[in-house]
Amino acid sequence: MPLKRVIPCLDVDAGRVVKGTNFVGLRDAGDPVELAERYDAEGADELVFLDITASHERRETIVDLARRTADNVFIPFTIGGGIRSVSDAQAVLDAGADKVSVNSAALARPELLTELADHFGSQCVVIAIDAKRDLEKEPATSSPTCAAPPGWFGGTWGVYVKGGRERVEGCDAVSWAREAVERGAGEVLLTSMDRDGTNDGYDLELTRSVADAVSVPVIASGGAGELSHLSAAIAEGGADAVLCASIFHYGQHTVAEAKERLAADGIDVRR
Amino acid sequence: MSEGARILILDYGMGNLRSVEKALEHVGASAAIGSDPDVIGAADGLILPGVGAFPRAMERIRATGLDELIAERAAAGTPVLGICLGLQLLFEGSEELGGAEGLGLLPGTVTMLDAPGLKVPNIGWAPVRWERDSRLVAGIPSETPFYLVHSFVARPAAEDALGTAEYGERFVCAAERDNVYGVQFHPEKSSAAGLRLLANFAGICAKAPAAA
């Protein structure tokens, strides 16, 4: 089995890291590439850059980010945000990225996943899903593509876009993950909107539900506040990888410490 | 160590060459991307990268005459390093997509991973065990993880097996025969260990007989 992975995530706006960093010794804490080099040196297995630039120059900014990262960082990395077509993906992959992550563009047009997989192979295609626990008892089942399974009785997760502000009508996160993989996604980046930013730990139930539903690796995201949360996402949630942002950015823990903890908990990681 | 070695990354229109080039530059090697016969003739070392399907890659290599140029340089003693699909192309043939003949610089063929019950492609970091000593892997401890993305594996002669990894079966992921080297993993994406391997290759190229 491949080793379990620890993946720092960097949110980037107009070429700068958004969430603050507490690193000492960085010339420029806002430079995503310098931060990425630091994580590579600490033993990060991969990196994910999520571009949240809102301008129309977005494509240029993500291609530039991919190129500068590939020039300096020698581990696999994924770029998400702003990928809406095969040509968008081609541009960042040519620049040196290993994978692209798509979220709302795939919800708007699920065929995009198949087009990307046909062109680049499923190993290049990550479906990012922002999920939030449903409070209502019955899900809407109006969507033909990602409706909740028959016999559902409660306790599902809705799919959200626009940073969790907008719910995708009738869409169930587990069903959507399954459909996205059938359409060509080679990996699921699963973020719990309930846990994101809370430091309370990953949503293990959500992670387990999706991991059990799909045949491709699941990256758990949202909520890591201490190192034991990482082990739990893998051991209990069934995740193949854990995504972390603030736990590393604010200097609370290093990637190396995360690896040590996972290894101590009996999880095979690269050290 | 690698001072002066001119390494050419062969461009036949498949795969991400930029990452390999930048990794070589990072370790102080002089790297270029190209396929011009004069440039190939002047290179101290050749890297054959590649991502995609074997038959299509061989088609493109033959269409550009690269197959003969690579064979000539390899016969003249120029170090050649195949990466990922590039490793597979060095062998006699592959069963991928109905089968195709390869460059034949290494004896053996390429077949599907034998990993029943496991997901294929095999993607991720896997510890690589060195089966013998080699200048290519000098200074890299056995069982150091490297990054792999593949569905097929080469089946070389036992004496050419340099490194192995485990995925359903123990398979060869690094091969070496005289001046011909190949790695199934991506050294350009394998952090410090991968950079060390590329630096070692640059060192081998610097010491190889001067290009004609």
Side-chain angles (χ1 to χ4, degrees):
Chain A
M1 289 294 285
L3 302 169
K4 301 299 180 191
R5 293 165 286 154
V6 175
I7 308 177
C9 177
L10 291 82
D11 288 348
V12 179
D13 187 357
R16 306 284 296 170
V17 177
V18 178
K19 287 178 184 169
T21 63
N22 263 356
F23 278 143
V24 285
L26 288 188
R27 288 185 307 276
D28 175 3
D31 177 20
V33 178
E34 198 178 346
L35 192 52
E37 285 179 75
R38 166 74 169 248
Y39 287 141
D40 178 1
E42 282 182 4
D45 297 304
E46 281 180 39
L47 296 166
V48 169
F49 296 92
L50 292 180
D51 189 274
I52 58 169
T53 309
S55 79
H56 55 278
E57 288 109 26
R58 191 176 202 185
R59 174 151 160 184
E60 286 146 53
T61 69
I62 56 174
V63 170
D64 179 62
L65 176 62
R67 191 176 297 123
R68 290 198 301 124
T69 304
D71 286 356
N72 297 286
V73 180
F74 302 101
I75 52 176
F77 67 95
T78 302
I79 294 221
I83 310 283
R84 314 207 165 268
S85 64
V86 165
S87 80
D88 287 341
Q90 183 89 57
V92 297
L93 294 171
D94 282 350
D98 299 275
K99 310 179 200 179
V100 292
S101 156
V102 290
N103 186 335
S104 51
L107 283 162
R109 206 172 62 81
E111 303 78 36
L112 175 63
L113 293 166
T114 315
E115 293 165 10
L116 293 172
D118 285 348
H119 269 82
F120 310 111
S122 287
Q123 80 282 351
C124 285
V125 186
V126 180
I127 180 71
I129 301 177
D130 290 343
K132 199 167 172 179
R133 222 169 253 273
D134 282 328
L135 295 177
E136 68 261 39
K137 283 288 177 199
E138 292 290 338
T141 50
S142 56
S143 165
T145 55
C146 49
W152 176 89
F153 57 90
T156 59
W157 295 265
V159 175
Y160 284 73
V161 289
K162 298 191 176 163
R165 291 192 304 276
E166 195 174 293
R167 159 130 205 197
V168 180
E169 191 63 37
C171 194
D172 167 77
V174 177
S175 305
W176 171 230
R178 196 183 286 121
E179 182 191 337
V181 169
E182 277 165 15
R183 286 181 179 272
E187 197 161 44
V188 180
L189 168 48
L190 180 66
T191 301
S192 163
M193 303 304 294
D194 300 299
R195 297 299 180 89
D196 202 27
T198 65
N199 295 341
D200 289 344
Y202 298 97
D203 185 335
L204 299 180
E205 212 180 314
L206 168 67
T207 308
R208 173 55 75 184
S209 299
V210 173
D212 285 349
V214 299
S215 59
V216 302
V218 172
I219 306 169
S221 160
E226 49 187 84
L227 297 180
S228 65
H229 294 155
L230 277 53
S231 300
I234 293 168
E236 294 167 49
D240 297 273
V242 284
L243 194 91
C244 304
S246 53
I247 195 171
F248 295 144
H249 296 337
Y250 294 103
Q252 203 177 335
H253 294 288
T254 64
V255 178
E257 286 166 6
K259 294 287 192 75
E260 274 166 38
R261 175 57 191 257
L262 288 167
D265 289 340
I267 294 164
D268 285 336
V269 290
R270 179 176 74 100
R271 299 176 76 195
Chain B
M1 171 185 70
S2 56
E3 206 63 30
R6 292 156 302 169
I7 298 174
L8 186 70
I9 301 156
L10 296 167
D11 183 8
Y12 56 98
M14 284 177 81
N16 170 13
L17 314 181
R18 182 183 167 77
S19 297
V20 179
E21 182 189 22
K22 292 299 163 186
L24 283 164
E25 287 173 1
H26 194 83
V27 298
S30 154
I33 295 173
S35 56
D36 187 77
D38 294 342
V39 184
I40 292 175
D44 299 311
L46 300 176
I47 289 188
L48 183 63
V51 170
F54 191 107
R56 178 158 172 73
M58 277 312 299
E59 215 172 88
R60 297 187 79 132
I61 285 174
R62 289 220 176 79
T64 52
L66 262 183
D67 53 338
E68 286 174 17
L69 291 167
I70 296 167
E72 266 172 39
R73 298 310 313 157
T78 303
V80 177
L81 173 65
I83 296 176
C84 195
L85 177 64
L87 153 85
Q88 298 177 10
L89 297 173
L90 298 174
F91 285 82
E92 292 166 285
S94 169
E95 65 172 20
E96 185 174 1
L97 296 178
E101 264 184 48
L103 293 168
L105 299 181
L106 294 173
T109 56
V110 177
T111 66
M112 190 91 174
L113 259 174
D114 184 20
L118 294 177
K119 298 164 202 166
V120 172
N122 168 31
I123 304 174
W125 294 86
V128 175
R129 180 187 301 163
W130 307 132
E131 301 294 340
R132 58 184 171 89
D133 287 338
S134 164
R135 284 198 287 163
L136 188 67
V137 301
I140 306 170
S142 194
E143 302 294 343
T144 297
F146 283 83
Y147 185 75
L148 290 145
V149 181
H150 67 126
S151 301
F152 288 82
V153 285
R155 314 292 179 181
E159 68 268 24
D160 296 343
L162 168 60
T164 59
E166 182 85 34
Y167 193 73
E169 59 169 326
R170 184 152 280 279
F171 64 93
V172 174
C173 62
E176 174 180 350
R177 189 181 186 90
D178 303 324
N179 55 319
V180 178
Y181 305 83
V183 291
Q184 182 62 59
F185 47 79
H186 286 275
E188 77 281 12
K189 292 288 177 179
S190 293
S191 199
L195 293 174
R196 178 63 196 263
L197 187 146
L198 290 172
N200 288 346
F201 181 68
I204 291 168
C205 295
K207 288 174 197 151

